[in-house]
Amino acid sequence: MTVKHLSVDYNKVNEQGTFSPGDTLSGRVTVVTSGGTKVQCFLVKAKGKAKVTWHKQEGQATRTHEDKRKYFHFEHIFIQDKNKGDGSEIIRSGRNVYPFSFVIPNTDMPSSYEGKWGKITYSLQAQLTQSIWLVHKTKTEFPFLTKSEFPFASKSEMIIIGLKEQQYATRISFYGSAKVVMNVTSEKLGVKQGEAMVVSVEVLNDSARTVTPTFYLCEKQTFAAQSERIVHTNETLFGTGDPIAAETSQSTTKVLSIRPQLHPSFFNCCMMRLEYRLKVRLDGPRDAEIKLPLVILLGSTKPLQQKPKRSIWFKNLTI
């Protein structure tokens, strides 16, 4: 086997290392050989796709729900055997570098994302075919960010106006042996990654015990395939407010910070979406909770973490 190394790399277009619709994706495929190597086909592919898969037990059988969508698929062929299989095309011995360039379509596409039962990926894959039995492949993913300012609102839905300024409040009352009323007000509906928001809680505690508000960030992932839906939820503790003593009323304010690594809300994928809620729970004579809608917006991004590039080194094994 004369192919010793195969790798694919790309050039960054900004400090964050991300790509968006309309950007030029360029790079190089590197091949190292120990001698002249006959090749049937040698190419690099650029792909953008979304895929959803989950399994559901139905009686004794397991049913698989799966769907996928392709956003783009380009190929750049470096070498192709004109005689269709005789391997007459040759890569010379040593290190060989092949440049490539693609223009990402300037259309609305969702950002890179990986959830419980689905993911949205953008990748480069190099493939070197020597014969039907000998095919070398290597792949690397590149981070992609949508250009949509509001990827949570499709064109058919109402666009939220004044997202950054809008306040939201609600009230809940419940009765047991006594009355407890909780009023929650969120400073704004839309919060950027890494930004802080102020949440105010007013509690009228007519019960005989102390109650304490607790704040949670609720994440909801929805996946769709074959006319079926599945939901995955997750709760993260945001913080705890001040205790409210029995037979008192008190207002408390909490500053909650959105983690910079938190993925923004999105709705611009037909197979999956990501939503958030702010939940305030009050432990007391009868536990109660209030959920407020929360939209996480893309903030001033830092360089995104990406999956490590996968290069292939081939070694001769002596048995």
Side-chain angles (χ1 to χ4, degrees):
M1 187 162 56
T2 57
V3 178
K4 299 299 180 183
H5 173 74
L6 177 65
S7 64
V8 57
D9 302 280
Y10 59 85
N11 303 316
K12 293 183 179 181
V13 294
N14 53 44
E15 292 182 0
Q16 290 75 32
T18 59
F19 292 84
S20 295
D23 286 344
T24 298
L25 175 64
S26 62
R28 67 212 61 82
V29 178
T30 302
V31 184
V32 178
T33 65
S34 61
T37 304
K38 291 185 177 182
V39 176
Q40 287 186 3
C41 187
F42 179 31
L43 55 82
V44 62
K45 304 175 184 178
K47 295 181 181 180
K49 64 179 182 179
K51 185 177 180 179
V52 169
T53 306
W54 76 87
H55 307 283
K56 185 178 181 181
Q57 195 71 29
E58 297 181 354
Q60 298 298 319
T62 300
R63 183 180 176 187
T64 299
H65 296 270
E66 185 175 14
D67 199 0
K68 55 186 175 181
R69 178 174 181 179
K70 189 182 298 181
Y71 295 110
F72 61 82
H73 183 167
F74 300 120
E75 290 186 358
H76 182 93
I77 299 175
F78 302 120
I79 299 175
Q80 189 164 13
D81 185 358
K82 298 180 178 62
N83 295 314
K84 298 180 181 179
D86 69 354
S88 58
E89 297 293 334
I90 296 177
I91 294 179
R92 62 181 176 81
S93 177
R95 183 174 184 269
N96 301 270
V97 179
Y98 297 84
F100 62 84
S101 181
F102 301 104
V103 177
I104 300 174
N106 195 11
T107 58
D108 182 29
M109 294 178 285
S111 299
S112 302
Y113 175 71
E114 184 167 359
K116 179 69 173 179
W117 291 294
K119 58 183 178 179
I120 303 166
T121 57
Y122 298 85
S123 63
L124 289 163
Q125 178 178 308
Q127 179 174 312
L128 192 155
T129 303
Q130 292 184 263
S131 69
I132 192 173
W133 310 111
L134 191 55
V135 179
H136 311 292
K137 295 181 180 180
T138 184
K139 180 180 178 180
T140 184
E141 294 183 6
F142 58 90
F144 183 85
L145 282 179
T146 181
K147 275 188 175 179
S148 175
E149 186 177 3
F150 300 125
F152 53 86
S154 69
K155 294 179 181 178
S156 62
E157 294 176 308
M158 180 185 298
I159 296 177
I160 300 176
I161 301 174
L163 188 66
K164 300 175 184 178
E165 294 78 22
Q166 184 174 354
Q167 295 184 354
Y168 194 97
T170 190
R171 178 183 292 269
I172 185 170
S173 300
F174 56 92
Y175 298 87
S177 57
K179 178 180 177 182
V180 178
V181 178
M182 177 171 61
N183 185 60
V184 179
T185 303
S186 175
E187 178 189 26
K188 46 192 170 183
L189 179 62
V191 187
K192 290 184 178 180
Q193 295 166 309
E195 203 174 46
M197 61 183 295
V198 177
V199 179
S200 300
V201 179
E202 299 176 355
V203 177
L204 172 61
N205 182 13
D206 281 344
S207 71
R209 56 179 291 184
T210 299
V211 295
T212 304
T214 308
F215 303 85
Y216 297 89
L217 177 66
C218 301
E219 176 185 351
K220 180 181 178 183
Q221 304 173 16
T222 305
F223 304 90
Q226 300 169 349
S227 301
E228 297 285 341
R229 290 180 180 271
I230 189 170
V231 173
H232 173 71
T233 59
N234 184 47
E235 288 187 0
T236 304
L237 180 64
F238 245 161
T240 304
D242 298 328
I244 294 96
E247 298 181 351
T248 62
S249 62
Q250 183 176 325
S251 297
T252 182
T253 299
K254 191 75 176 178
V255 179
L256 305 176
S257 296
I258 303 298
R259 291 185 293 109
Q261 300 83 7
L262 201 64
H263 198 286
S265 309
F266 71 88
F267 273 76
N268 61 340
C269 177
C270 62
M271 293 184 297
M272 63 189 87
R273 68 189 186 196
L274 179 63
E275 303 168 83
Y276 294 97
R277 295 287 188 272
L278 168 65
K279 184 173 84 171
V280 182
R281 182 170 181 168
L282 196 66
D283 63 330
R286 186 180 298 173
D287 287 348
E289 62 185 39
I290 295 173
K291 288 185 179 180
L292 307 182
L294 181 64
V295 176
I296 307 299
L297 302 168
L298 183 66
S300 53
T301 56
K302 297 180 180 179
L304 293 184
Q305 293 182 350
Q306 65 183 88
K307 294 185 177 180
K309 298 173 184 176
R310 190 174 71 195
S311 300
I312 300 179
W313 283 92
F314 304 96
K315 294 182 180 180
N316 293 325
L317 301 179
T318 302
I319 301 176

